[in-house]
Amino acid sequence: MLSVLMALLLVFFTLELAKDESYRADENQEDDNQQLQQETQQYVSVEVLPVSSRQNSAEVEETTLNCQEYSLPPVEELQSTETCEENIQAQSCANTATQTLREGIALVLPEEDETQEVGVRYDRSFTAKLIQSTDEVKEWYGEIKNHLLSYKKVRARTSWGRESYRVGRDCVARLIIKGKTLCVLLAIIPQSCQDTKYKIEDLADLTSCKDTPCLYRIKSKRKLNYAKELIDIIMAEYNVATVKNREDVDYYIPYEGTLNLIKRGLIKRKIVEKRADFLTKINIPSGNGDKIDVA
């Protein structure tokens, strides 16, 4: 009877031990399952990009690589590039301006001469010379012209190289500009001005100055007054009276450039030989007393 009880107790303890091991195994398996489930949940939380997005990502990456290959130059290079562009633009503007200038003076520039024996000269009219003269010369011109026109029956006519003043058919005076100096040609015998305060030049040998052979250069206010005195001597010989209550006219002409005057036809160009000899007239004065004779 005792042995049977011992056997039953042994069986009972064996069964309990088996249950404990089975329970521990289940707990371990449950722990493993929970850990695996947690790891699975962590993995599933990462979203996978769609295929199209991955392709776009690849394209973006490729574009990025291309951009890296063609990256922008440094700031210094950019500044030099901008400077080059400004220089190119300025050069283009300069070329345009040069082209316009060449078109404007196409009739002014001489043709190329390989022998270098041909040059260009500008034939300036009296009006062009007056326009490009100094304000002082323009002032003296206005005073002389007003003084001449203050006499009755005096008519003025401007030609290419000079301005003539006539009383009837006779030319009593001409105005010309030699270099930068205003000169008056007067109908006075040059020899009669010798040993006087009027320092004149004799142009009687010139055919174009036969009727006005006396040239007087106006270089100062004093010589301007002397020129007026010579004009009064001529008008007294012609017995011409002055106009009463005549107001002076402002004959001032503003300055203009050579190109504008060429376009207006006031300056012409001439092709000349550089070796050509230009003759100069030499005045040979001869005394004729102190009296000034009108030509």
Side-chain angles (χ1 to χ4, degrees):
M1 186 69 179
L2 184 60
S3 60
V4 174
L5 290 174
M6 292 294 292
L8 289 174
L9 289 172
L10 183 61
V11 171
F12 175 77
F13 283 116
T14 303
L15 291 175
E16 290 294 333
L17 183 61
K19 287 180 181 181
D20 291 337
E21 291 179 357
S22 176
Y23 179 75
R24 290 176 181 177
D26 292 339
E27 286 183 354
N28 293 334
Q29 185 175 2
E30 186 177 357
D31 293 337
D32 293 339
N33 291 335
Q34 289 180 357
Q35 186 177 0
L36 179 61
Q37 185 177 2
Q38 290 178 359
E39 292 178 356
T40 305
Q41 288 178 354
Q42 291 178 357
Y43 178 75
V44 172
S45 64
V46 179
E47 296 180 359
V48 178
L49 290 173
V51 177
S52 59
S53 299
R54 279 184 283 173
Q55 291 178 351
N56 294 335
S57 177
E59 293 177 359
V60 171
E61 185 178 0
E62 183 179 357
T63 306
T64 304
L65 292 175
N66 293 334
C67 292
Q68 292 177 356
E69 293 178 358
Y70 298 97
S71 58
L72 293 175
V75 177
E76 296 179 356
E77 295 183 6
L78 286 175
Q79 292 178 352
S80 61
T81 305
E82 292 177 357
T83 304
C84 293
E85 290 179 355
E86 292 177 357
N87 294 336
I88 293 172
Q89 186 176 3
Q91 185 67 26
S92 177
C93 294
N95 293 336
T96 304
T98 304
Q99 182 65 24
T100 304
L101 193 61
R102 287 178 178 176
E103 292 176 358
I105 61 175
L107 298 178
V108 183
L109 296 176
E111 296 180 358
E112 295 183 359
D113 179 44
E114 296 180 356
T115 61
Q116 297 183 354
E117 295 180 356
V118 174
V120 62
R121 291 182 60 192
Y122 295 114
D123 184 11
R124 289 176 167 83
S125 62
F126 172 78
T127 304
K129 292 179 180 179
L130 182 62
I131 290 173
Q132 295 187 332
S133 61
T134 62
D135 291 341
E136 191 175 38
V137 170
K138 294 177 182 178
E139 180 184 355
W140 294 341
Y141 163 78
E143 289 193 31
I144 287 290
K145 186 169 184 176
N146 279 308
H147 189 73
L148 283 165
L149 295 179
S150 66
Y151 287 92
K152 294 180 179 180
K153 300 180 181 180
V154 175
R155 296 175 290 106
R157 178 180 177 273
T158 303
S159 59
W160 179 261
R162 54 194 179 180
E163 193 169 77
S164 302
Y165 296 87
R166 295 180 179 273
V167 176
R169 294 184 178 181
D170 296 334
C171 183
V172 295
R174 289 188 174 96
L175 294 179
I176 63 173
I177 296 178
K178 295 178 70 66
K180 297 181 179 180
T181 305
L182 177 65
C183 304
V184 57
L185 298 170
L186 299 169
I188 294 177
I189 298 175
Q191 290 79 4
S192 62
C193 293
Q194 297 300 322
D195 299 329
T196 64
K197 63 181 179 180
Y198 307 110
K199 306 302 179 182
I200 59 94
E201 297 178 28
D202 186 359
L203 301 182
D205 293 337
L206 298 179
T207 303
S208 59
C209 298
K210 285 291 184 180
D211 50 356
T212 53
C214 181
L215 183 144
Y216 189 74
R217 297 176 183 267
I218 302 174
K219 296 183 178 180
S220 63
K221 191 71 174 179
R222 178 173 57 85
K223 289 191 175 183
L224 174 66
N225 294 328
Y226 287 170
K228 291 180 180 180
E229 292 177 4
L230 292 173
I231 292 172
D232 292 338
I233 293 173
I234 297 173
M235 295 304 175
E237 186 71 20
Y238 276 87
N239 196 20
V240 179
T242 59
V243 180
K244 294 182 179 180
N245 300 325
R246 182 185 182 275
E247 295 182 358
D248 289 344
V249 180
D250 186 8
Y251 293 106
Y252 179 84
I253 306 176
Y255 179 87
E256 292 185 37
T258 302
L259 291 180
N260 290 336
L261 297 178
I262 291 173
K263 293 177 181 178
R264 291 176 55 186
L266 297 177
I267 296 179
K268 300 177 182 178
R269 72 158 190 171
K270 286 186 177 181
I271 305 300
V272 297
E273 293 184 3
K274 293 183 179 180
R275 298 180 181 178
D277 295 329
F278 297 95
L279 300 178
T280 56
K281 297 295 180 181
I282 301 175
N283 297 326
I284 304 178
S286 58
N288 191 24
D290 295 336
K291 181 181 177 181
I292 296 176
D293 296 330
V294 177

